[in-house]
Amino acid sequence: MRGRSGAGSGRTLVVGVVAGLLLGAGLWLLLRSLPAAVDPTWQRIVETGVLRVCTDPSWPPFEFVIEEGGEVQGFDIELAGLLAARLAPGIQAQIVPVGFDGLYDALLSGRCDAVLSALPYEPMRTQDVAYSLAYFNAGLVLVVRAGSDEIETVDDLRGRAVGVEWGFVPEGNSRQRLLLQNLGLRRYDTPLDALRALQAGEVEAALVDRITALTYLHGCQGLQIVGEPLTDVSYSIPVRPDSFKLLEEINRVLLEMRQDGTLERLQEKWF
Amino acid sequence: MVAMKGVRGYRGRGLLLLLALLAGRPPSPPVALGPQQTVHSVNPKLGIHTRLTDEVEPWKIKRTLEMVRELGAGWIVEYFPWAYYEPSPGRFDWSHADLVVDHARRQGLTVIARLGFVPEWARPDPEEQPTTFTYLDREHYDDLAAYVAAFVEHFRGRVEHIVIWNEPNISLEWGYRPVDPEGYVALLRAVYPRARAANPEVVVLGGALAPTLAPVGDPEGMNDLDYLRRMLAAGAGEVMDGLAVHAYGWQRPADAPPDPTEVNWNRTLLLRQLLVEAGYADLPIYITEGGWNDHPRWTKAVSPSQRAAFTVQAYRQALEEWPWCQAVVLWAFRFPRPANTYQDYFTFVTTDFTPKPIYLAVQRYARGEGP
């Protein structure tokens, strides 16, 4: 009985392997014969040579309208041009001005192919749009007076007077709330006021968003940003979920731009 | 066979065990109303618009209303959609509305009920004419009147203030049709006597107009001042007991002077002036929406510190300088889930009930602690 049973198992194994191989080959042939998935947005961009980019030009230095001539300029606008040119030869960016609260609707209704408008990544929207890699972090940074070597991290702030914007802790962000526990916070009406207070010696450090810090530091002497941003407010480029090829190409170019210093040069130019 | 029997036996016993567990499972604990509470506030006009229409968990309803009381707000506006409570003609289900109203009253709050949202059965056949829930033709005004009467009767002694419709001066709130002040007054005329017959004490509020600078002929809406002027000319003053006002400040402070060419908090004074000019100086105003937004990017927003200062100033102004204003109910306390738009920056607490700085600032004022 045992021997007969062993022979039966062997035959079953061989039949199973052959059947599996045949099934695999069949599936491979079937998949090969299926048409490749098409990204309609990418197809149109390549055909027309135009990448349509929605932006709300009211957020300098990322996007703003210059008074003479009404041209839209800024970090994001220049990035859009450079990005388009690197997507594929001959592609140009076309800026589509849209009000801030209409940016996502404009993208989803097809008025543009991507949004480049200092938009932070929003986890709650990932069913509706696909986000690119981040190209700028606007999170909180620690600013101190130049030459102040006593404050190198947020841990060095305990017991010190720290300037912040009144009500600046983003809602629901428990990580930021934890970060600020045990600090001697002094609240100012705006983040600029907190930096002015730092410069005037009212506080020993300031915690402000990176955009305000970079803008302020550009025009003043004696202050410096310490370390990397303490929170993550990553600006990203949303596209429609079916624009998978466009997203892949945008990410490829952003990675190149990170590596070759393009993003850093843009930051130096616009702040 | 024996083995099969064994498997069946185990399955059978497992099923029986599961059923027994389910049957014996204690029901979800009810959320007790708790003891009667009182609102403590230096400003009896202080209010906040809640958004409990889509809040299904009783403990969240209770927590919301507790936090409203702890804020020092004695008034709330809440939305009671017609389509939710009368899903078919004459068949009412008030269970969710009862839950909200009973918890609100137990916290010592006065409820202003906003009524609207047309059910499908009171709208044209969608095969022939697609419409939205803001579409109501004159043939169905009596249906809304019947709902309002049923609501008022059911909540007699519990809800004594109602707002009829919302922002009828903008097209999207008027079924995407051209707005029609005289048509809205006809709606009030149909509703008012039925509501008062159901409860002679009920205060029927009309208006709740959207503050807008829409130019003449704008398909999206009509300037609220023009709209109210036409409402009053059509006899609105005779079929409402007060005017509901939406008072948004946009980027202007609470003391920005009234100006017909600007949307600001004191636009309320212009609406009041129209009532006076039309001979209805005795009609009170209830602010049923309003306030400021502190989104970092929205073009009509202000900074968080400005928002707090303007809001406190607005509450104080209504208390000290506006005797004709009965309540100041600002938008909005909390959303059941994030909107993920600038709308989230109108709220006083987050979805997870974390108080925002604006909440704490108003609370300090209501306790008499703030400047």
Side-chain angles (χ1 to χ4, degrees), chain B residues 86-305:
Chain B
E86 192 181 3
S88 57
R91 188 169 70 81
F92 299 98
D93 175 3
W94 303 114
S95 50
H96 186 269
D98 280 331
L99 189 69
V100 170
V101 169
D102 289 345
H103 274 294
R105 285 176 48 76
R106 191 54 63 95
Q107 295 303 320
L109 310 177
T110 302
V111 179
I112 299 175
R114 179 188 141 194
L115 305 178
F117 202 116
V118 185
E120 277 192 21
W121 59 262
R123 287 159 32 200
D125 181 347
E127 297 283 319
E128 292 170 14
Q129 184 189 354
T131 55
T132 70
F133 58 84
T134 61
Y135 183 97
L136 185 68
D137 53 34
R138 289 197 185 214
E139 288 70 44
H140 291 90
Y141 281 5
D142 284 342
D143 291 329
L144 175 61
Y147 167 70
V148 171
F151 181 93
V152 167
E153 190 175 351
H154 181 81
F155 287 103
R156 186 172 179 162
R158 293 188 287 164
V159 177
E160 302 280 281
H161 299 78
I162 56 171
V163 187
I164 306 302
W165 214 259
N166 182 60
E167 301 187 337
N169 63 318
I170 54 176
S171 178
L172 79 91
E173 295 283 0
W174 197 244
Y176 285 98
R177 294 169 295 172
V179 299
D180 176 9
E182 292 75 23
Y184 175 63
V185 174
L187 175 65
L188 286 177
R189 211 179 287 286
V191 167
Y192 186 77
R194 300 281 299 269
R196 298 283 288 191
N199 176 5
E201 302 299 318
V202 76
V203 177
V204 179
L205 305 177
L209 306 178
T212 168
L213 305 177
V216 175
D218 190 324
E220 292 188 10
M222 184 184 293
N223 182 303
D224 48 330
L225 303 177
D226 294 340
Y227 192 97
L228 179 60
R229 211 174 273 120
R230 279 179 56 179
M231 269 179 66
L232 292 168
E238 303 302 318
V239 284
M240 61 184 192
D241 303 310
L243 182 70
V245 167
H246 290 179
Y248 286 96
W250 294 158
Q251 291 190 295
R252 304 285 282 138
D255 59 1
D259 177 351
T261 65
E262 182 176 287
V263 170
N264 66 35
W265 172 255
N266 281 314
R267 197 172 177 82
T268 307
L269 291 171
L270 301 177
L271 295 166
R272 160 74 184 161
Q273 187 58 31
L274 290 177
L275 288 181
V276 173
E277 286 169 8
Y280 295 105
D282 56 334
L283 275 186
I285 279 178
Y286 293 73
I287 291 173
T288 54
E289 268 190 36
W292 285 263
N293 180 297
D294 56 10
H295 188 280
R297 292 283 303 271
W298 190 43
T299 50
K300 294 186 177 75
V302 295
S303 74
S305 66

Side-chain angles (χ1 to χ4, degrees), chain A residues 3-14:
Chain A
R4 202 180 291 170
S5 172
S9 302
R11 272 200 301 277
T12 308
L13 185 67
V14 170

Side-chain angles (χ1 to χ4, degrees), chain A residues 171-174 177, chain B residues 59 334-336 349-355:
Chain A
E171 55 190 285
N173 191 328
S174 51
R177 288 202 300 273
Chain B
W59 77 266
R334 168 187 172 266
F335 296 150
V349 304
T350 63
T351 299
D352 69 358
F353 294 101
T354 303

